[in-house]
Amino acid sequence: MEKMNNKNKIFIDKLRSSGLRPTKQRVEISKFLFNRKKTFHFTVEELKNSMNLKRSKKISTATFYNTVHALKSAGHLKEFSLENNTSYYDTNITSHHHFFDNGKVIDIKSDKITFHKLPDAPKGKKIKNVEVVIRLENNNQ
Amino acid sequence: MEKMNNKNKIFIDKLRSSGLRPTKQRVEISKFLFNRKKTFHFTVEELKNSMNLKRSKKISTATFYNTVHALKSAGHLKEFSLENNTSYYDTNITSHHHFFDNGKVIDIKSDKITFHKLPDAPKGKKIKNVEVVIRLENNNQ
DNA sequence: AACTACTTTATAATAGTTCTAAACTAAGTG
DNA sequence: CACTTAGTTTAGAACTATTATAAAGTAGTT
Ligand SMILES: [Mn+2]
Ligand SMILES: [Mn+2]
Ligand SMILES: [Zn+2]
Ligand SMILES: [Zn+2]
């Protein structure tokens, strides 16, 4: 890539160090995903719509899917599921927990939940991770 | 329904008391789902394939979807999600936890997990339920 | 500048699910 | 019992999220 202003350097490096060519599209998607203070939870379609809204030259659907998969494989995104039939992605790749509040997802830092009792893994298996979902509802009245 | 042998009475009553007409199809599906000792976790397509395999007169896809939705609305099934884009259903409608082992789902009774620390719900919200997923992997070697 | 492997793209294909509207049936009514 | 009707089943179309295809474009190398 010719045009490599400093603002993009960090994302170009991130892509390159993951074995991904820092194409125009990947750099823009990475910047959109990772250039924020708070965790971002999203579906590929949401990502596509919000990024393409402000663009004259649209990025194709396939590229959004390809890039999100590539970033997930590289360990920069985690996938998770809500109750519908859509994959969600999480820019917080650490092991952590969630509040689910009517489709809205909020991170809970790992150390905010600790266990008093946990079952052993079945024979021949071991625990890879433990993740908690706390479902919320509105207070009465 | 004319043919109401005693084996079916319990399922007919279950349907009727939920405001659902005990049709031939619904009774058979209910029997398949609920006439077992252990929790059953399934997708609608899996249910359809395993029930229709042994039938000459097949039950239609739409009826499987309709019936599963009706049973869910009546509170006889719970829906949950794995990492793919498919809805899973659970015949255990109590609040409980799961092991996920490469697509295999195993129930964990609620009292097998207790918490030492849990976050408060955000302002204006309250906790509806807390569910834990313990992901498993094979022991090394 | 020329080359090549990788990437993007438009488009088709697939999978799970929901919708539609016509045929069927459970269950009540006389 | 007929008769009626509201609820149900069904085949098939439609829809949505996602993946596959293969041609055109581009990053990185020489
Ligand atoms: Mn969505
Ligand atoms: Mn499946
Ligand atoms: Zn998160
Ligand atoms: Zn379960």
Side-chain angles (χ1 to χ4, degrees):
Chain A
M1 281 207 57
E2 318 132 45
K3 253 185 176 173
M4 189 219 273
N5 48 34
N6 273 347
K7 286 201 119 192
N8 290 346
K9 176 146 193 337
I10 182 170
F11 304 110
I12 291 174
D13 289 349
K14 183 169 194 158
L15 288 164
R16 212 169 246 134
S17 70
S18 307
L20 297 169
R21 267 192 202 171
T23 63
K24 193 153 70 350
Q25 294 87 339
R26 283 174 176 168
V27 172
E28 291 206 38
I29 292 171
S30 297
K31 189 159 46 163
F32 187 90
L33 291 177
F34 302 121
N35 193 27
R36 42 180 93 218
K37 310 113 211 79
K38 290 182 57 197
T39 297
F40 185 38
H41 300 102
F42 64 96
T43 70
V44 175
E45 296 292 323
E46 286 166 0
L47 173 65
K48 180 185 82 169
N49 293 335
S50 50
M51 283 195 67
N52 274 344
L53 203 65
K54 43 192 84 152
R55 299 173 54 92
S56 43
K57 178 79 171 65
K58 315 291 189 201
I59 296 174
S60 76
T61 301
T63 294
F64 282 106
Y65 278 97
N66 289 342
T67 300
V68 166
H69 290 161
L71 291 172
K72 184 196 168 192
S73 294
H76 302 307
L77 291 173
K78 277 208 317 187
E79 190 176 356
F80 68 99
S81 284
L82 294 180
E83 248 78 281
N84 54 19
N85 323 306
T86 315
S87 285
Y88 282 75
Y89 295 89
D90 192 332
T91 56
N92 182 352
I93 55 175
T94 69
S95 182
H96 64 284
H97 311 294
H98 291 111
F99 287 121
F100 284 1
D101 181 12
N102 304 295
K104 193 158 159 286
V105 180
I106 305 168
D107 272 1
I108 302 169
K109 284 238 194 68
S110 200
D111 62 8
K112 296 288 182 198
I113 298 182
T114 57
F115 298 91
H116 184 252
K117 198 163 81 174
L118 264 184
D120 292 326
K123 216 127 292 182
K125 304 287 176 177
K126 67 177 196 222
I127 291 176
K128 182 166 23 176
N129 69 50
V130 179
E131 286 184 354
V132 179
V133 168
I134 303 183
R135 238 165 282 265
L136 299 175
E137 60 191 351
N138 292 325
N139 270 332
N140 279 355
Q141 274 67 268
Chain B
M1 280 208 61
E2 317 132 46
K3 253 186 177 169
M4 189 217 273
N5 49 33
N6 274 346
K7 284 201 121 193
N8 290 346
K9 177 150 193 335
I10 181 168
F11 305 111
I12 291 173
D13 289 349
K14 183 168 194 158
L15 288 164
R16 212 169 244 134
S17 69
S18 309
L20 296 168
R21 267 193 204 172
T23 63
K24 193 152 73 345
Q25 293 88 339
R26 284 174 175 168
V27 172
E28 291 207 37
I29 293 171
S30 297
K31 190 159 44 165
F32 187 91
L33 291 177
F34 302 121
N35 194 26
R36 41 179 95 220
K37 312 111 212 81
K38 290 182 55 194
T39 297
F40 185 37
H41 300 102
F42 64 96
T43 70
V44 174
E45 296 294 322
E46 286 166 1
L47 174 65
K48 179 185 82 170
N49 293 334
S50 51
M51 283 194 68
N52 275 345
L53 201 65
K54 42 194 86 153
R55 298 173 55 90
S56 41
K57 176 81 173 63
K58 313 292 186 200
I59 297 175
S60 75
T61 301
T63 294
F64 282 106
Y65 278 97
N66 290 342
T67 301
V68 167
H69 289 162
L71 291 173
K72 185 195 168 193
S73 295
H76 302 307
L77 290 173
K78 276 208 318 184
E79 190 176 356
F80 68 100
S81 283
L82 293 181
E83 247 80 279
N84 54 18
N85 322 309
T86 315
S87 286
Y88 281 76
Y89 295 88
D90 191 333
T91 57
N92 182 351
I93 56 175
T94 69
S95 183
H96 63 285
H97 310 292
H98 291 110
F99 287 121
F100 283 2
D101 181 11
N102 304 296
K104 194 156 159 287
V105 180
I106 304 168
D107 272 2
I108 301 170
K109 285 240 193 65
S110 200
D111 62 8
K112 297 290 182 199
I113 298 183
T114 56
F115 297 92
H116 185 254
K117 199 163 81 172
L118 264 185
D120 292 325
K123 215 126 293 181
K125 304 287 176 179
K126 67 176 195 229
I127 291 176
K128 181 165 23 176
N129 69 52
V130 179
E131 287 183 354
V132 179
V133 169
I134 302 182
R135 236 164 284 265
L136 299 175
E137 61 191 351
N138 291 326
N139 271 332
N140 281 355
Q141 273 71 269

